[in-house]
Amino acid sequence: MPRNDLMDTATLPSGEKGYVARQDVPAGAVVGSWEESAVDSEPTKFTIQVGRDRHVDADAVRYLNHSCVPSTFVDASTGSVVALRPLAAGDALTFFYPSTEWEMTTPFDCACGHAGCLGKITGAEALSADVLRRYAVNDHIRALVADRDAVAVD
Ligand SMILES: [Zn+2]
């Protein structure tokens, strides 16, 4: 069963809609999920990429905002949103968009405010392997980076 019962939708200080933790959860907790049978769709502002050419539109990720210091990891292989650290009720649920997205349909200037903020977020395609190594990223992103960098090297 898909779950998002540990998420609440909130209006963030930025005015954007986003998910927050409904209750305290430990690191490693699954706070959201979607079914394997979720319908693939064309990439949009609300989908996440789960394979080279697969995009899923699921409640569990629709209002999961980006952060350069994310609080969750979206695991495309299991269809789940996993807490990266202990979360308190009301903490913003965020993930690192380039961990699933190779090229984003809606690039934006990140305002997460963290010291390591990457600035413009356009997807993993624009990031070096060194930068991506700092983050948990999905297998399809690792594979796409390997393909890209194999072509770039003599
Ligand atoms: Zn940022």
Side-chain angles (χ1 to χ4, degrees):
M1 283 292 290
R3 73 180 297 178
N4 50 18
D5 54 308
L6 294 177
M7 302 173 156
D8 276 324
T9 307
T11 302
L12 304 175
S14 63
E16 297 265 307
K17 206 179 206 186
Y19 286 141
V20 297
R22 181 170 292 172
Q23 64 188 60
D24 296 0
V25 296
V30 173
V31 296
S33 66
W34 63 91
E35 292 193 60
E36 185 59 32
S37 61
V39 176
D40 287 3
S41 60
E42 292 299 308
T44 72
K45 185 176 179 180
F46 297 108
T47 58
I48 59 145
Q49 186 176 356
V50 295
R52 282 175 186 258
D53 297 304
R54 296 187 59 219
H55 303 267
V56 165
D57 186 354
D59 285 340
V61 295
R62 188 160 300 136
Y63 297 112
L64 206 56
N65 290 316
H66 166 87
S67 174
C68 298
V69 183
S71 63
T72 73
F73 175 64
V74 172
D75 188 339
S77 68
T78 59
S80 58
V81 181
V82 181
L84 285 172
R85 53 179 169 78
L87 299 172
D91 279 358
L93 299 178
T94 58
F95 82 106
F96 184 64
Y97 282 9
S99 71
T100 60
E101 306 307 298
W102 184 243
E103 286 179 280
M104 288 173 49
T105 59
T106 315
F108 64 98
D109 291 313
C110 183
C112 74
H114 291 288
C117 180
L118 297 176
K120 193 161 184 76
I121 303 298
T122 63
E125 197 272 341
L127 298 174
S128 71
D130 280 347
V131 168
L132 288 168
R133 259 193 285 278
R134 294 184 219 146
Y135 297 90
V137 301
N138 280 281
D139 290 345
H140 65 278
I141 295 297
R142 274 197 212 92
L144 286 161
V145 169
D147 287 357
R148 176 194 70 188
D149 293 353
V151 171
V153 172
D154 289 338

